[in-house]
């Protein structure tokens, strides 16, 4: 089995200001595009067997800029960011004015509108598990690495689940924009082989 590469999309104006960005389709900033381009040599240095990308434009553009176009990444809705419900577009600082002890990875979010009602940590974990099943199927049917291009909070939960931890343990894995993370194995067990990788970093 090859390595699983996780790429968080490049910077957006909302990620820069700390606004929770789930369903809102915010584009990359120029800095975010530069972050993505700088990852391209890291991607090219590996054999890619399969790639998947979130439907959001910030993820799809990142996938293109890092050079995944020839690998025809599959758009998969299970890679979308956490549905923040009533906290969409709101910063943690603002939420703490009303709920000083609030913590996303244990408390989830406030209910939102019917089209975006919000997700609990457990629901995000279920999506992560579905995505990991697709990753394992890709490993079984191809050679090389599998690449996922998606979002910070979702990829943190997916990492926790890959390591056999509960979704709330995603809190342990801070994930910066425009970085590459590598999940591998040691003695047949999943491990973190690299985290928040940037060229020259």
């Amino acid at each position: 089995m090859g390595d699983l590469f996780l790429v968080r999309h490049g910077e957006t104006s909302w990620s820069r200001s700390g606004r929770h960005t789930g369903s809102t389709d915010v584009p990359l900033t120029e800095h975010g595009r530069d972050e993505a381009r700088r990852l391209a040599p890291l991607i090219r240095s590996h054999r890619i067997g399969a790639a998947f990308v979130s439907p959001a434009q910030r993820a799809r553009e990142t996938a293109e800029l890092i050079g995944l176009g020839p690998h025809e990444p599959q758009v998969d809705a299970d890679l979308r960011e956490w549905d923040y419900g009533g906290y969409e577009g709101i910063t943690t600082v603002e939420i703490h004015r009303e709920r000083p002890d609030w913590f996303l990875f244990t408390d989830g979010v406030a209910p939102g509108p019917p089209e975006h009602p919000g997700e609990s940590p457990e629901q995000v974990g279920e999506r992560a598990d579905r995505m990991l099943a697709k990753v394992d199927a890709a490993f079984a049917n191809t050679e090389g690495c599998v690449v996922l291009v998606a979002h910070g909070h979702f990829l943190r939960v997916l990492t926790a689940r890959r390591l056999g931890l509960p979704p709330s343990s995603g809190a342990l894995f801070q994930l910066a924009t425009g970085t590459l993370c590598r999940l591998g194995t040691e003695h047949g067990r999943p491990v973190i082989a690299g985290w928040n990788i940037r060229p020259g970093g």
Side-chain angles (χ1 to χ4, degrees), residues 8-32 35 56-58 81-94 116 151-153 177:
R8 183 182 175 192
H9 62 77
E11 179 198 76
T12 69
S13 60
W14 279 29
S15 69
R16 185 175 59 215
S17 61
R19 297 172 70 180
H20 287 92
T21 319
S23 56
T24 307
D25 214 0
V26 183
L28 297 178
T29 62
E30 280 307 313
H31 177 66
E35 286 182 317
Q57 64 169 324
R58 58 193 183 276
E81 180 58 297
W82 200 309
D83 183 344
Y84 296 118
Y87 289 158
E88 179 74 13
I90 300 175
T91 68
T92 298
V93 171
E94 291 170 325
H116 294 291
H151 310 273
H153 284 144
T177 58

Side-chain angles (χ1 to χ4, degrees), residues 51-128:
F52 300 85
V53 62
S54 159
Q57 64 169 324
R58 58 193 183 276
R60 289 185 285 109
E61 185 175 9
T62 296
E64 186 67 29
L65 291 171
I66 66 176
L68 286 181
H71 302 285
E72 300 181 354
Q74 180 178 334
V75 177
D76 196 304
D78 278 336
L79 282 173
R80 69 188 185 278
E81 180 58 297
W82 200 309
D83 183 344
Y84 296 118
Y87 289 158
E88 179 74 13
I90 300 175
T91 68
T92 298
V93 171
E94 291 170 325
I95 297 168
H96 281 168
R97 291 175 189 153
E98 300 282 331
R99 299 176 63 184
D101 298 325
W102 175 79
F103 188 55
L104 174 67
F105 288 96
T106 53
D107 299 326
V109 299
E115 62 272 21
H116 294 291
E119 287 180 296
S120 67
E122 292 74 23
Q123 287 172 316
V124 179
E126 289 170 3
R127 275 202 290 122

Side-chain angles (χ1 to χ4, degrees), residues 153-169:
H153 284 144
F154 176 76
L155 290 175
R156 291 169 69 172
V157 171
L158 182 139
T159 297
R161 296 302 301 139
R162 190 61 160 180
L163 299 176
L165 302 171
S168 60
S169 291

